[in-house]
Amino acid sequence: MADGRACAPLEDFPLLAAHAAGGPPLAYLDNAATTQKPSCVLDAMDDFYRTACGNPHRSAHALAAAATRTYEDARSTVARFIGASPEETAFTSGATHALNTVALCYCAERLEPGDEIALTLLEHHSNLVPWQTAARLSGARLSFIVPDRDGVVSDDEIDRAIGTRTRVVAFTGMSNVLGTVPPVKRIIEAAHACGAVAVLDCAQSIAHEPLDVHDLDVDFAAFSGHKLYGPMGIGVLYGKRRLLEETPPLLRGGGMVEAVFERASSFDGTPGRFEAGTQNVAGAVGLAEAVRYLDRIGFDAVRAHERELTRALVSGLDSIPSVRLYGPGPNAETPRGGIVSFNVKGVGAAEVAHVLDRRGVAVRAGAHCAQPLLRHIGAEAVCRASIAAYTTMHDIDRLLEAVESSRNEAVALATSRML
């Protein structure tokens, strides 16, 4: 990567290409928040609206029939990508919608006082707040698998937190703060050993590691399209078919019913029961095209590229005396993705992010919707740099150069704002 090349060509991404061709310099390192979209995704969505815009599963005319085929083809493409069948793959507005459906519609109705819901302290609020609600509604209690300060989950901690009263285990496939990857299969096996349902939040891991839900034997999984080079406003709920058939829908209305009477209704089968109202068909089309794009690149190439850049980023930040690095250090053997959080000593995370932005380096600062984890690692806010297939070594170098010289500039900026 010394020549600055990316695994995914920058020219495939209009926004990045515009900056590279003479626009303001941009090292986009906020991919854990959302990825940029390749032209093929934008073109597929535009083509749907220009040539095939109809409402699927509604009218009998040719345009509506074409829209139905397009929508269901997108479902089949996404299902294949995660090793599922189309009947197990429901489109949602995103991972948050999908996780709320599992927590509030399947699990909350089955939990009883004294039951336990096991989570990790690595969770994004979207995989914590719904479970808090499920616990309050059912009388169940939350238990937590506590990682060490680097975000590493041990076997002993899994065995301590998952026990005879555990009915649900919900956990992330990759920390959105530390980039650490918990032992996914080990946690699923521990859940099933005590008869619990395993729920996997793949929002961060989906673009970086291949997912085969059948091989993992996970019961439910959720992810969003916009972190996978696809559009915003589209996501996926996977569930084993038997479990989905037992799950009432979160949203109710047109398009998801079998029969409606004045005082009662029956729901459609799966996955239609989870897709009330007019769906984001263009979003589904864009997500399917993003999946095909990632398939063309290949996960082996993506992983090799991102691991090299992550090693350079972690080592580079660790070598800067003013930087406090969070998560596994450069010599750790812990599996991790390309998400690296840090702070500059004596300077607020937001101030550092502002300085980096002035230098054309885009990172995110804050608690990253993971406040319990931030408290666990002893921080109120952190700067987060996150890598994608189009990230180059030049982007990493620019970040490191900006961070290394940012302390004095950030202090001056903070002082000027107080005047």
Side-chain angles (χ1 to χ4, degrees), residues 108-395:
E109 293 196 356
R110 289 163 174 77
L111 292 167
E112 298 177 351
D115 289 345
E116 293 185 355
I117 303 166
L119 312 168
T120 79
L121 269 188
L122 299 171
E123 302 313 312
H124 187 283
H125 294 166
S126 292
N127 200 33
L128 170 58
V129 177
W131 297 108
Q132 292 173 341
T133 304
R136 189 184 73 248
L137 293 173
S138 65
R141 63 180 294 271
L142 302 179
S143 66
F144 288 92
I145 302 169
V146 181
D148 66 17
R149 292 287 288 268
D150 286 338
V152 178
V153 174
S154 69
D155 285 348
D156 288 345
E157 186 61 18
I158 293 170
D159 293 337
R160 182 200 63 78
I162 300 175
T164 57
R165 297 301 302 171
T166 305
R167 298 292 177 265
V168 182
V169 182
F171 65 105
T172 183
M174 181 183 294
S175 168
N176 75 311
V177 176
L178 303 175
T180 46
V181 178
V184 172
K185 200 150 192 173
R186 168 78 168 82
I187 295 174
I188 293 171
E189 289 170 351
H192 290 166
C194 63
V197 171
V199 183
L200 181 61
D201 175 8
C202 304
Q204 288 299 337
S205 59
I206 189 69
H208 310 286
E209 297 285 339
L211 174 65
D212 188 327
V213 291
H214 287 174
D215 178 65
L216 288 175
D217 196 27
V218 69
D219 298 298
F220 292 99
F223 62 90
S224 297
H226 72 97
K227 300 179 193 292
L228 182 63
Y229 310 103
M232 297 178 178
I234 191 73
V236 168
L237 166 63
Y238 160 79
K240 292 178 177 176
R241 187 166 183 177
R242 172 183 60 82
L243 301 181
L244 288 181
E245 289 172 348
E246 296 172 359
T247 304
L250 183 66
L251 302 178
R252 307 177 181 206
M256 47 72 68
V257 289
E258 182 182 57
V260 177
F261 301 92
E262 286 81 352
R263 291 180 173 82
S265 303
S266 58
F267 303 129
D268 199 358
T270 178
R273 65 169 57 194
F274 302 106
E275 297 177 358
T278 296
Q279 293 301 293
N280 182 4
V281 183
V285 168
L287 176 55
E289 188 59 38
V291 162
R292 287 189 282 268
Y293 180 80
L294 194 52
D295 277 340
R296 289 194 293 273
I297 298 171
F299 266 119
D300 287 345
V302 170
R303 285 189 292 183
H305 174 71
E306 292 183 350
R307 284 171 182 168
E308 181 177 355
L309 296 187
T310 302
R311 283 194 296 269
L313 177 55
V314 172
S315 296
L317 287 171
D318 189 61
S319 69
I320 300 174
S322 63
V323 165
R324 163 76 186 275
L325 184 67
Y326 298 92
N331 298 318
E333 297 181 357
T334 303
R336 68 171 303 158
I339 298 173
V340 182
S341 290
F342 64 95
N343 275 328
V344 175
K345 296 172 185 176
V347 185
E351 302 301 336
V352 173
H354 282 303
V355 170
L356 296 182
D357 182 53
R358 287 153 61 106
R359 292 169 175 259
V361 179
V363 300
R364 185 174 177 181
H368 309 288
C369 297
Q371 292 179 21
L373 176 58
L374 267 288
R375 285 191 290 270
H376 179 62
I377 64 175
E380 291 184 2
V382 295
C383 290
R384 182 186 70 188
S386 46
I387 290 167
Y390 46 66
T391 305
T392 66
M393 192 64 79
H394 181 58
D395 293 330

